[in-house]
Amino acid sequence: MTEITISAARAQLGDLVRRAAHSRETIALTDHGHVAALLVSPQVIEDLEDALALADHERRKAAGTLGEGIPHEEVGRMLGLRP
């Protein structure tokens, strides 16, 4: 993770955003030596949300609290991927 002060980031904001977006690099913006915010690629957030959803599914499955699901074939039909 790259750290940069907020004041230094002002002049480089476009470049920092592109770095975060394209190289999936996390840029930490610091204020008085403390991380105040992060610039993170949306794909990184989506990946984390997917991992969290999968972990929650596995947790509910292990606990026996998983609700009734929809069969894979039915989902395909609902999405227009199957006849």
Side-chain angles (χ1 to χ4, degrees), residues 1-66:
M1 177 167 45
T2 301
E3 290 189 12
I4 186 168
T5 64
I6 293 171
S7 57
R10 281 188 183 100
Q12 306 176 49
L13 186 58
D15 180 55
L16 293 171
V17 169
R18 283 186 286 282
R19 282 170 48 189
H22 299 296
S23 68
R24 297 176 66 129
E25 178 181 358
T26 299
I27 311 291
L29 303 178
T30 61
D31 188 28
H32 300 291
H34 300 284
V35 175
L38 299 173
L39 289 176
V40 181
S41 166
Q43 186 61 50
V44 170
I45 300 300
E46 290 171 11
D47 291 348
L48 289 171
E49 288 173 341
D50 288 347
L52 181 60
L54 184 58
D56 184 55
H57 173 81
E58 293 298 322
R59 179 192 57 78
R60 289 186 294 134
K61 183 178 175 182
T65 60
L66 194 59

